[in-house]
Amino acid sequence: MNPAIIFLLLAALMLTGMPISISLGLTVLTFFAAFTSVPIESVALKLFTGIEKYEIMAIPFFILAGNFLTHGGVARRMIAFATSMVGHLPGGLGLSAVVACSLFAAVSGSSPATVVAIGSILLPAMVKAGYPVKYGAGIVASAGGLGILIPPSIAMVMYAVSTNSSIGALFMAGVMPGLVLAAMLMVTTFWIAKKGRYPKAERATWRQRGKAFRDSIWGLLLIVIVMGGIYSGIFTATEAAAMSAVYAFFIAIFVYKDLRLTDLKRVLLSSANLSAMLLYIITNAVLFSFLLTSEQVPQMMSEWIIKSGLGPIGFLLLANVILLIAGNFMEPASIILIFAPILFPIATSLGIDPVHFGIIITVNMEIGMITPPVGLNLYVASGISKLGLTDMSKAVGPWLLTMLVFLMIVTFWSPLSLWLPKTLGMM
């Protein structure tokens, strides 16, 4: 009965409209106070020890780096480079949006930041060029999801923290799936544009492409610094996050000079607010995980699934359904921190690689970002495009189907995720 009581308490609190982080904390306090003899002091102790993990420091650093890049003109230069390369194809600006989102995702680690940075510049340009606003909004909202799949990824850091997995291996495992998904989104974008005869830009000369590349090189170098540093062993993922924040500050202030020192306070406060919110969610999710472990909920679920003969394939299908449904109602941070500690032990007991499972969860979170009613990318893109939530939900339809097909590929073809980290000797 105890597991049922725990989840009923959580559901009841969430249905009141209470923030998920507070619902998690109150569920723990209520259950410990009313249904167990566990001393309440253990909750206070867990509040502090639960986030005493070195890896968690990567989250505020990546957020800070992303804010410096968003406000520092890096996105504008990446868009110019992407447009020079693919703008002459049918739906050229749409293809540019996917390429630019891929590039910005590789330096920001955040989906909403990617949607804001790329969408606020490219979406008005697409409408001005004669593209339907729904087409542009659908592309930006969907491709913005690459921000949590292409490393560095804040979602991957959270998964690693909640399951004690390797952040470096997860980052490397996200590279190939991220590139494949970007290619699939580009095919969908190209096909719709070709069918609708949408406009295309003039082909850029190689001189123009070279200039666009040189203008964006400082931002692109951040990809080399983060991924190269982790792979070579020069620094850990957390140290890479700190390096990216320092580097992003340097190029935004002193190289591109799009960010003034007077803007520094605003960027720091914005980063601190988002970091505090995420860390508060993490703290309460750690408490909830502690409650589940103390009541042996993951162990009971694992035994039930193994005895039911569901097997790895059946379990992965069930996990995808659970995560996709959760993605309709919760933000990625909460989903990962609640469900990863439950599903992870079951996955490992069935012989599923922890890194592969982390990528599967990340792709599910990516899809959840564009599914109503709580898809965060939908709201961000809606604010930029001025479309209602219903229209935005329809706009992302073709790309959502593409991502669901990709989810099946990444779920049942593990080499797509594991080939690169294994080749680099990280597993």
Side-chain angles (χ1 to χ4, degrees):
M1 285 297 293
N2 281 354
I5 293 171
I6 292 170
F7 288 106
L8 283 173
L9 277 172
L10 179 61
L13 289 168
M14 289 172 59
L15 287 172
T16 64
M18 189 179 295
I20 293 174
S21 55
I22 297 176
S23 299
L24 291 170
L26 281 180
T27 298
V28 175
L29 290 173
T30 304
F31 188 86
F32 278 151
F35 299 99
T36 71
S37 57
V38 176
I40 204 68
E41 290 83 358
S42 63
V43 176
L45 180 63
K46 197 64 182 177
L47 276 171
F48 290 96
T49 60
I51 58 171
E52 283 185 341
K53 293 185 178 180
Y54 175 67
E55 294 84 359
I56 290 180
M57 291 176 63
I59 294 173
F61 283 128
F62 278 132
I63 290 171
L64 181 58
N67 275 340
F68 278 132
L69 296 171
T70 303
H71 293 88
V74 174
R76 178 165 45 84
R77 291 169 174 85
M78 287 183 172
I79 289 170
F81 173 59
T83 304
S84 71
M85 299 303 294
V86 297
H88 61 281
L89 298 172
L93 285 181
L95 295 173
S96 299
V98 179
V99 175
C101 284
S102 303
L103 293 173
F104 196 79
V107 296
S108 71
S110 167
S111 279
T114 303
V115 175
V116 169
I118 305 302
S120 58
I121 300 170
L122 255 182
L123 197 52
M126 291 177 72
V127 173
K128 186 177 180 181
Y131 289 86
V133 65
K134 286 186 179 180
Y135 176 76
I139 295 169
V140 171
S142 306
L146 292 167
I148 62 171
L149 181 59
I150 296 178
S153 164
I154 293 172
M156 289 182 189
V157 174
M158 290 186 172
Y159 172 83
V161 167
S162 60
T163 62
N164 291 316
S165 301
S166 166
I167 298 178
L170 279 165
F171 278 7
M172 293 302 170
V175 173
M176 293 305 296
L179 294 176
V180 170
L181 179 56
M184 290 176 66
L185 293 175
M186 289 183 73
V187 169
T188 304
T189 302
F190 178 86
W191 179 76
I192 294 173
K194 188 84 172 176
K195 186 179 177 182
R197 297 184 179 181
Y198 295 161
K200 53 185 178 181
E202 292 185 11
R203 183 186 294 270
T205 65
W206 284 105
R207 182 185 295 273
Q208 290 172 324
R209 290 173 178 174
K211 183 182 183 302
F213 177 73
R214 288 192 299 274
D215 288 343
S216 63
I217 189 65
W218 287 98
L220 297 174
L221 274 175
L222 185 54
I223 304 172
V224 179
I225 292 172
V226 173
M227 302 307 293
I230 294 172
Y231 165 61
S232 63
I234 295 175
F235 38 66
T236 65
T238 304
E239 291 164 347
M243 283 293 298
S244 67
V246 174
Y247 180 82
F249 165 78
F250 177 79
I251 63 173
I253 297 288
F254 300 109
V255 178
Y256 290 144
K257 299 179 181 178
D258 291 317
L259 194 67
R260 297 170 296 180
L261 287 172
T262 52
D263 298 323
L264 195 58
K265 179 181 177 182
R266 175 167 54 88
V267 173
L268 289 173
L269 283 174
S270 173
S271 302
N273 284 335
L274 182 55
S275 298
M277 181 188 74
L278 288 176
L279 290 173
Y280 185 67
I281 293 173
I282 291 171
T283 303
N284 284 286
V286 165
L287 278 180
F288 189 72
S289 177
F290 170 61
L291 171 60
L292 294 178
T293 304
S294 68
E295 294 301 315
Q296 297 188 324
V297 174
Q299 294 89 330
M300 285 189 284
M301 290 185 67
S302 179
E303 288 176 10
W304 178 80
I305 286 177
I306 291 171
K307 287 179 180 178
S308 68
L310 204 57
I313 294 176
F315 165 72
L316 288 174
L317 284 172
L318 178 63
N320 279 331
V321 170
I322 291 171
L323 293 169
L324 287 173
I325 293 173
N328 286 292
F329 304 101
M330 300 163 67
E331 75 274 8
S334 299
I335 297 172
I336 292 172
L337 293 166
I338 292 172
F339 288 99
I342 298 172
L343 298 175
F344 178 79
I346 305 172
T348 53
S349 67
L350 292 171
I352 298 167
D353 188 273
V355 173
H356 177 218
F357 192 61
I359 299 302
I360 293 172
I361 287 183
T362 304
V363 174
N364 275 285
M365 298 305 95
E366 193 174 15
I367 294 171
M369 300 288 276
I370 57 169
T371 53
V374 190
L376 187 54
N377 283 7
L378 290 181
Y379 286 97
V380 176
S382 175
I384 298 171
S385 64
K386 308 304 180 187
L387 291 173
L389 185 61
T390 302
D391 288 333
M392 270 305 312
S393 301
K394 293 177 182 177
V396 299
W399 294 274
L400 176 59
L401 288 174
T402 302
M403 293 168 78
L404 289 170
V405 171
F406 174 74
L407 175 61
M408 291 298 100
I409 295 172
V410 82
T411 298
F412 299 111
W413 188 36
S414 60
L416 180 61
S417 304
L418 302 181
W419 174 79
L420 185 58
K422 283 183 176 178
T423 302
L424 297 176
M426 302 183 75
M427 294 180 60

